[in-house]
Amino acid sequence: MNDITDKNLIYFDNAATTRSMDGCLEILTKYTFSDFYNPSATYNKSIEVKKDLEHARNNIIDMLNAKDGRLIFTSSGSEANNMVFNGLSLPKDSKIIIGNAEHSSVFNVGRQLKSAGYNVCFAPVNSNGQICLEKFENLLTKDTKLISIMHVNNETGIVNDIELLNKLSKKVNPNIIFHADGVQAVGKLPVNLNKLDIDLYSMSAHKFGGIKGAGALYVKPHINLKPFIYGGGQEFNLRSSTENITAILCMEFALRKKLENLEINIEKMKNIQKNLNNYFSKLNNIRILTNIENCSNYIFTFAMKKVKSEVLQRILDGYGILIGTGSACNSTKHNLRIADALGLSNEYKHGIVRLSFSDQTNEEQIERFINIFSNEYKKIYSL
Amino acid sequence: MEYSVNCIIIRPGELFLKGKNKFLFENCLFDNIKYALKDYDISVLKSQNRFYVENFNISDLNNILNILQKVFGITTISEAYKVPIDKDLIKETVLKIIPKKGKFRVTTKRAYKQFPMSSMEFSAYLGAEILKTYNELSVDLFDYDFNLNIDIRENKFAYIFFETIKGAGGLPVGISGKVGLLLSGGIDSPVAGYMIAKRGVELKAIHFYSFPYTSDLALLKVKDLAKKLSEYVKSIDLYIVPFTAIQEEIHKKCPEAYMITIMRRFMMRIAEKISQNNDLSAIVTGESLGQVASQTIPSIASTDNAINIPVLRPLIAFDKIEIIEIAKKINTYEISIRPYQDCCTVFVPEKPAIKPKLELVAKLEEELDIETLVNDAISSTTIETI
C-alpha cells in the first residue's frame, strides 16, 4: 500500500487533492471530541464554538482582502460553484457566459441551464486554456446577466486576468454579475478580492491543505442569493446545515500557514516548473500546455502524442509515482472536453498529463520522475 | 392457528424429460436449489415432480423468492399455505386468508384421488362457503381479481395459493457440462454467459488482461460482472490471462489491419488450452453477427480455424438492442457501461480487416512464436473463484 509518508512515493496530483497540513489533526480532535458543540445552540459552550467559527470566517476574509463582502461556508468548491447558478434566480432567457474550459462543477451546470432554456455562451480559450480576450469581448453584450470564468485553470494552471475580464464586463453593463472559480488559486497565488473587484468567488479547503468537507463562496453585499439549502438558517440563511466546524477551522488554519510562506514556496515551484519545462521542451512529440510565464506555479501539464496518459499513469504508479491525467475522474468524455477546448489534435487528445505539486515537492523528486519517465515513455512510444 | 405462507411450491421445467434424464435433471435441480438457499435455515423437499421449500422464516420469504427466480430449471413458483388434506381445515384456512373484497374463482386440482369430492364439487363447495361468509366477494370465473388455487396432492397435503410467478426456465446448471466463457467487460459477453448457463451449463470465465493498457478498474468491472453471473450458476472460476506481451508482439510484427484477427486467434488458442486443462467442453463468446469488424462470418471462420473445440455463440443472431434488454434484466448492464476499457481497445487499428484471408493470417503468424506466447500466458494466468 502506498503511503504519502513513504519517502519513495512521489505524489504529483496535488491539484486533485493534497495532504492535509500537520495541525489539522489537533483541530479535528478538539472540535470533534472536546468542543463538539453545535454552533447554533445558545449555551456558553456553543457560543464559544460559534465565536471560533466567526473568527475563522473573519480571518479568511482578511487573508483574501475580502472585507467588502461576506463569506458563506459550503461543503466544497463544487457546491460553492453550484450555489452561484442556483442561488441567483436569473430569469429563464438570461444570457450567461461561461469559460469553455471551466471545471465540470461550472461547465455542467452551464450545460444544464442551457438545456433549461437559458442563453448560455461558452467563451473560447487558447491552447493554454486561457480565455481569448477578443472572443470574450465579442460575446459581451448589454443583456448579459452572469459571467463565470475560472481564476486558475485546473488542467493547465493558466491564470485568467479576472480583474481585467470583470472590468471589461462592467464597462458593457455595470449590472453584470461576475463569478470566478478560485479553487486552484487560493493558497497557490496571492488573491486580493478587493482588487479583483468581482462579485462572487469560490474556493475549496482540501486543495490547499485543509481537510475535505469545506469550501466557501465569497459574495459581495449587493448580490442577492436565494437559499441553496433550506433548514435552520445557518450561513446567513443561505446554506442551512450544522456548520462543519472542524473542516472550516482547518481551512482557516491551512490558508494561514499557506500564505505565511507563499512567496518562498512560489519561488521554489517556479524552479521546478522551469526544470520540467526545459526537459519537456526538448522532447519531440510532446506539447507543453502550461504557459509558465503566466500560471499557477503548482501545475505543469503536457500532452503526449499517440501515448495514452492513463497507460503512463499506470506504469508510473508501479514506481510509486502518482500523476494526474488531466482530471481526477476517469470518464473519457471529460478528458476529451478539455482537450477539445484547448484545440488539441486527435493524436494528443488522450495524452494529457497533469503534474501538480505541493510545498513538499522537491528537485530530487522531479529528477527521479524525469529519469523514470524518459525510460518508460521511450518504451511505450516505440510500440 | 396462525395463517401465514408456510411453503413455496417449485415447479420444474422440461417435464417431457423421461427415465434416467428426468432423474438426473431432478437431482441436479434439487442440489442447485439447496445450494442457492444455503444461507437460509430451511428445508427443501422433493415430492412427485415438484419441490417444496418449507420451515423458512417468514421475513426471509421475499429474499428466497428472489433467489429461486434465478435458479435455472424452474418454470414457476408459488407461495402457498400447506395444510393436511381435511375438508374443514382447508375451508377454515381459505376463509382466513382470502381477500375480503372483489371477484374470485376457485380452481381445485385433485391428484389425490381418495379425496371424497371431485375437483368441481370441491371448488363449488368452497365458493359457496366463501360467499356465505363475506358479502363483498363475488364469483366470476373469467374476469376475476384473484384465483384461489387448491392443489390436493398425493402426499396428503393441500396447497392453497393465489399467484404463480415465472421462474428462470431452462435446465439446471451442471446438467449440460462445463464451458469457458470469454468475459470481456462489455455488454455482450455476460449476456452470452447467462444465455448458455440457462441451458444447464456450468460457467468458467476467461478474461484477457492488458495491464498497463487497461486498468485495475477494468479488471474489477469484470469481477463484478462475474459476481452478477454467479447468481445464476453457483460460483464462477475467473481465469485472468495476462495478454499484454502477446498484444505487443502482434503489434510489432504484424500489419495493423490484422491486429484484431490475430489477437482473437490467440484468445481462442488460450481458451482452448484452459478448456482442455479444466475439462471444459466448449468456448462461449458474446459475438453477434456483423456487430463489429471482428464479428463477420470470415472473421469468425478465421478464429474458429485456430482451434478444435466447439465455440458456442448464443447471441449470434441477436440485435444489440435485444442484448441490452437482457443485460438490463440480469443487472449486468450498469456494470458493463462503466467507462473502463478492456483489452480489445488496445492497439485497435483504424481500418481492421473485415474479410481476413486464412492463408494470409497463417503466413503472418509465422512471424510469431505461437506456442511460447500461449504457454507463457497460461503459466501466468491466475484463477479467482467468484
Coordinates of all heavy atoms in Angstrom, one line a residue, chain A residues 80-129:
Chain A
A80 N -20.0 25.4 -3.9 CA -19.9 26.9 -4.0 C -20.3 27.3 -5.4 O -21.0 28.2 -5.6 CB -18.6 27.4 -3.5
N81 N -19.7 26.6 -6.4 CA -20.0 26.9 -7.8 C -21.4 26.7 -8.1 O -22.1 27.5 -8.8 CB -19.1 26.1 -8.7 CG -17.6 26.5 -8.7 OD1 -17.4 27.7 -8.4 ND2 -16.7 25.7 -9.1
N82 N -22.0 25.6 -7.7 CA -23.4 25.4 -7.9 C -24.3 26.4 -7.3 O -25.3 26.8 -7.8 CB -23.8 24.0 -7.4 CG -23.6 22.9 -8.4 OD1 -24.5 22.5 -9.1 ND2 -22.3 22.5 -8.6
M83 N -23.9 26.9 -6.1 CA -24.7 27.8 -5.4 C -24.9 29.1 -6.2 O -25.9 29.8 -6.1 CB -23.9 28.1 -4.1 CG -24.8 28.7 -3.0 SD -23.7 28.6 -1.5 CE -24.9 29.1 -0.3
V84 N -23.8 29.5 -6.9 CA -23.9 30.7 -7.7 C -25.0 30.6 -8.7 O -25.9 31.5 -8.8 CB -22.6 30.9 -8.5 CG1 -22.7 32.1 -9.5 CG2 -21.4 31.1 -7.6
F85 N -25.1 29.5 -9.5 CA -26.0 29.4 -10.6 C -27.4 29.2 -10.0 O -28.4 29.7 -10.5 CB -25.6 28.3 -11.5 CG -24.4 28.6 -12.2 CD1 -23.2 28.2 -11.7 CD2 -24.4 29.3 -13.4 CE1 -22.0 28.4 -12.4 CE2 -23.2 29.6 -14.1 CZ -22.0 29.2 -13.6
N86 N -27.5 28.4 -8.9 CA -28.8 28.1 -8.4 C -29.4 29.2 -7.5 O -30.6 29.3 -7.4 CB -28.8 26.8 -7.6 CG -28.6 25.6 -8.5 OD1 -29.3 25.4 -9.5 ND2 -27.7 24.7 -8.1
G87 N -28.5 30.0 -7.0 CA -28.9 31.0 -6.0 C -29.3 32.3 -6.6 O -30.0 33.1 -6.0
L88 N -28.9 32.6 -7.8 CA -29.1 33.9 -8.4 C -30.5 34.1 -8.9 O -31.0 35.2 -9.1 CB -28.1 34.2 -9.5 CG -26.7 34.6 -9.0 CD1 -25.7 34.7 -10.1 CD2 -26.8 35.9 -8.2
S89 N -31.3 33.0 -9.1 CA -32.6 33.1 -9.7 C -32.7 34.0 -10.9 O -33.5 34.9 -10.9 CB -33.7 33.6 -8.7 OG -33.4 33.2 -7.4
L90 N -31.9 33.8 -11.9 CA -32.0 34.6 -13.1 C -33.2 34.2 -13.9 O -33.6 33.0 -13.9 CB -30.7 34.4 -13.9 CG -29.4 34.8 -13.3 CD1 -28.2 34.3 -14.1 CD2 -29.4 36.3 -13.0
P91 N -33.8 35.2 -14.6 CA -35.0 34.8 -15.5 C -34.5 33.8 -16.6 O -33.4 33.8 -17.0 CB -35.4 36.1 -16.1 CG -34.5 37.2 -15.5 CD -33.5 36.6 -14.6
K92 N -35.5 33.0 -17.1 CA -35.2 31.9 -18.0 C -34.4 32.2 -19.2 O -33.5 31.4 -19.5 CB -36.6 31.4 -18.5 CG -37.0 30.1 -17.8 CD -36.4 28.8 -18.4 CE -36.1 27.7 -17.4 NZ -37.3 26.9 -17.1
D93 N -34.6 33.4 -19.9 CA -33.9 33.6 -21.1 C -32.6 34.3 -20.9 O -32.0 34.8 -21.8 CB -34.8 34.3 -22.1 CG -35.4 35.5 -21.5 OD1 -35.2 35.8 -20.3 OD2 -36.1 36.3 -22.2
S94 N -32.1 34.5 -19.6 CA -30.9 35.3 -19.4 C -29.7 34.8 -20.1 O -29.5 33.6 -20.3 CB -30.6 35.2 -17.9 OG -31.6 35.7 -17.1
K95 N -28.8 35.8 -20.5 CA -27.6 35.4 -21.1 C -26.5 35.2 -20.1 O -26.3 36.0 -19.2 CB -27.2 36.5 -22.1 CG -25.8 36.2 -22.8 CD -25.5 37.1 -23.9 CE -24.2 36.9 -24.5 NZ -23.9 37.7 -25.6
I96 N -25.8 34.1 -20.2 CA -24.8 33.7 -19.2 C -23.5 33.3 -20.0 O -23.6 32.6 -21.0 CB -25.2 32.5 -18.4 CG1 -26.5 32.8 -17.6 CG2 -24.1 32.0 -17.5 CD1 -27.1 31.6 -16.9
I97 N -22.4 33.8 -19.6 CA -21.1 33.5 -20.3 C -20.3 32.6 -19.4 O -20.1 33.0 -18.2 CB -20.4 34.7 -20.8 CG1 -21.2 35.6 -21.7 CG2 -19.0 34.3 -21.4 CD1 -20.6 36.9 -22.1
I98 N -19.8 31.5 -19.9 CA -19.1 30.6 -19.1 C -17.8 30.2 -19.9 O -17.9 30.1 -21.1 CB -19.9 29.3 -18.9 CG1 -20.9 29.6 -17.8 CG2 -19.0 28.1 -18.4 CD1 -21.9 28.4 -17.6
G99 N -16.7 30.1 -19.2 CA -15.4 29.8 -19.9 C -15.6 28.4 -20.5 O -16.2 27.5 -19.9
N100 N -14.9 28.1 -21.6 CA -15.1 26.9 -22.3 C -14.2 25.7 -21.7 O -14.4 24.6 -22.0 CB -14.7 27.0 -23.8 CG -15.3 26.0 -24.6 OD1 -16.3 25.4 -24.2 ND2 -14.7 25.7 -25.8
A101 N -13.3 26.1 -20.8 CA -12.5 25.0 -20.1 C -12.7 25.1 -18.6 O -11.8 24.7 -17.8 CB -11.0 25.2 -20.5
E102 N -13.9 25.5 -18.2 CA -14.2 25.5 -16.8 C -14.2 24.1 -16.2 O -14.4 23.1 -16.9 CB -15.6 26.2 -16.5 CG -15.7 27.6 -16.9 CD -14.8 28.5 -16.1 OE1 -14.9 28.5 -14.8 OE2 -13.9 29.2 -16.7
H103 N -14.1 24.0 -14.9 CA -14.3 22.8 -14.1 C -15.7 22.3 -14.3 O -16.6 23.1 -14.5 CB -14.0 23.1 -12.6 CG -14.1 21.8 -11.8 ND1 -15.2 21.5 -11.1 CD2 -13.1 20.9 -11.5 CE1 -14.9 20.3 -10.5 NE2 -13.7 20.0 -10.7
S104 N -15.9 21.0 -14.3 CA -17.2 20.5 -14.5 C -18.3 21.0 -13.6 O -19.5 21.0 -14.0 CB -17.2 19.0 -14.5 OG -16.1 18.4 -14.0
S105 N -17.9 21.4 -12.4 CA -18.9 21.9 -11.5 C -19.5 23.3 -11.9 O -20.5 23.8 -11.4 CB -18.4 22.0 -10.1 OG -17.3 22.9 -10.0
V106 N -18.8 23.9 -12.9 CA -19.4 25.1 -13.5 C -19.9 24.7 -14.9 O -21.1 25.0 -15.2 CB -18.3 26.2 -13.7 CG1 -18.8 27.3 -14.6 CG2 -18.0 26.8 -12.3
F107 N -19.1 24.0 -15.6 CA -19.4 23.7 -17.0 C -20.7 22.9 -17.2 O -21.6 23.2 -18.0 CB -18.3 22.9 -17.7 CG -18.4 22.8 -19.2 CD1 -17.9 23.9 -20.0 CD2 -19.0 21.8 -19.8 CE1 -18.0 23.8 -21.4 CE2 -19.1 21.7 -21.2 CZ -18.6 22.7 -21.9
N108 N -20.9 21.9 -16.3 CA -22.0 21.0 -16.4 C -23.3 21.7 -15.9 O -24.4 21.4 -16.4 CB -21.8 19.7 -15.7 CG -20.9 18.8 -16.4 OD1 -20.6 19.0 -17.6 ND2 -20.3 17.8 -15.8
V109 N -23.1 22.6 -15.0 CA -24.3 23.4 -14.6 C -24.7 24.3 -15.7 O -25.9 24.5 -16.1 CB -24.0 24.3 -13.3 CG1 -25.3 25.1 -12.9 CG2 -23.5 23.5 -12.2
G110 N -23.7 24.9 -16.4 CA -24.0 25.7 -17.6 C -24.7 25.0 -18.6 O -25.7 25.4 -19.2
R111 N -24.3 23.7 -18.9 CA -24.9 22.9 -19.9 C -26.4 22.6 -19.5 O -27.3 22.7 -20.4 CB -24.2 21.6 -20.0 CG -23.1 21.7 -21.1 CD -23.0 20.3 -21.8 NE -22.3 19.4 -20.9 CZ -21.2 18.7 -21.2 NH1 -20.7 18.7 -22.4 NH2 -20.7 17.9 -20.3
Q112 N -26.6 22.4 -18.2 CA -27.9 22.1 -17.8 C -28.8 23.3 -17.9 O -30.0 23.2 -18.4 CB -27.8 21.6 -16.3 CG -29.1 21.1 -15.7 CD -29.6 22.0 -14.7 OE1 -28.9 22.7 -14.0 NE2 -31.0 22.1 -14.6
L113 N -28.3 24.5 -17.6 CA -29.1 25.7 -17.7 C -29.4 26.0 -19.2 O -30.5 26.4 -19.5 CB -28.3 26.9 -17.1 CG -28.2 26.9 -15.6 CD1 -27.3 28.1 -15.2 CD2 -29.5 27.0 -14.9
K114 N -28.4 25.6 -20.0 CA -28.7 25.8 -21.5 C -29.9 25.0 -21.9 O -30.7 25.5 -22.6 CB -27.4 25.5 -22.2 CG -27.5 25.9 -23.7 CD -26.2 25.8 -24.4 CE -26.4 26.3 -25.8 NZ -25.2 26.8 -26.4
S115 N -29.9 23.7 -21.5 CA -31.0 22.9 -21.9 C -32.3 23.3 -21.3 O -33.4 23.0 -21.7 CB -30.6 21.4 -21.6 OG -30.5 21.2 -20.3
A116 N -32.2 24.1 -20.2 CA -33.4 24.5 -19.5 C -33.9 25.8 -20.1 O -34.9 26.4 -19.6 CB -33.2 24.7 -18.0
G117 N -33.2 26.3 -21.1 CA -33.7 27.5 -21.9 C -32.9 28.8 -21.7 O -33.3 29.8 -22.2
Y118 N -31.8 28.7 -20.9 CA -31.0 29.9 -20.7 C -30.1 30.1 -21.9 O -29.8 29.1 -22.6 CB -30.1 29.8 -19.5 CG -30.9 29.9 -18.2 CD1 -31.6 28.8 -17.6 CD2 -31.0 31.1 -17.5 CE1 -32.3 28.9 -16.5 CE2 -31.7 31.2 -16.3 CZ -32.4 30.2 -15.8 OH -33.1 30.3 -14.6
N119 N -29.8 31.3 -22.2 CA -28.9 31.6 -23.3 C -27.4 31.5 -22.8 O -26.8 32.5 -22.4 CB -29.2 33.0 -23.8 CG -28.3 33.5 -24.9 OD1 -27.5 32.6 -25.5 ND2 -28.3 34.7 -25.2
V120 N -26.9 30.3 -22.8 CA -25.6 30.1 -22.2 C -24.5 30.1 -23.3 O -24.7 29.4 -24.3 CB -25.5 28.8 -21.4 CG1 -24.1 28.6 -20.8 CG2 -26.5 28.8 -20.3
C121 N -23.5 31.0 -23.2 CA -22.5 31.1 -24.3 C -21.2 30.6 -23.6 O -20.9 30.9 -22.5 CB -22.3 32.5 -24.8 SG -23.8 33.3 -25.4
F122 N -20.4 29.9 -24.4 CA -19.1 29.4 -23.8 C -18.0 30.2 -24.4 O -17.8 30.3 -25.7 CB -19.0 27.9 -24.1 CG -20.0 27.1 -23.4 CD1 -21.2 26.8 -24.0 CD2 -19.8 26.7 -22.1 CE1 -22.2 26.0 -23.3 CE2 -20.8 26.0 -21.4 CZ -22.0 25.7 -22.0
A123 N -17.2 30.9 -23.6 CA -16.1 31.7 -24.0 C -14.9 30.9 -24.4 O -14.4 30.1 -23.5 CB -15.8 32.7 -23.0
P124 N -14.4 30.9 -25.6 CA -13.3 30.1 -26.1 C -12.0 30.4 -25.3 O -11.8 31.5 -24.8 CB -13.2 30.4 -27.6 CG -14.4 31.1 -28.0 CD -15.0 31.7 -26.7
V125 N -11.2 29.3 -25.2 CA -9.9 29.5 -24.6 C -8.8 29.2 -25.6 O -9.0 28.6 -26.7 CB -9.7 28.6 -23.4 CG1 -10.7 28.9 -22.3 CG2 -9.8 27.1 -23.8
N126 N -7.6 29.7 -25.4 CA -6.5 29.4 -26.3 C -5.8 28.0 -25.9 O -6.3 27.3 -25.0 CB -5.4 30.5 -26.3 CG -4.7 30.7 -24.9 OD1 -4.8 29.7 -24.1 ND2 -4.1 31.8 -24.7
S127 N -4.8 27.7 -26.5 CA -4.2 26.3 -26.3 C -3.6 26.1 -24.9 O -3.3 25.0 -24.5 CB -3.1 26.0 -27.4 OG -2.1 27.0 -27.3
N128 N -3.5 27.2 -24.2 CA -3.1 27.1 -22.8 C -4.2 27.1 -21.8 O -4.1 27.0 -20.6 CB -2.1 28.2 -22.3 CG -0.9 28.3 -23.2 OD1 -0.6 29.3 -23.8 ND2 -0.2 27.2 -23.3
G129 N -5.4 27.2 -22.4 CA -6.6 27.2 -21.5 C -7.0 28.6 -21.0 O -7.9 28.7 -20.2

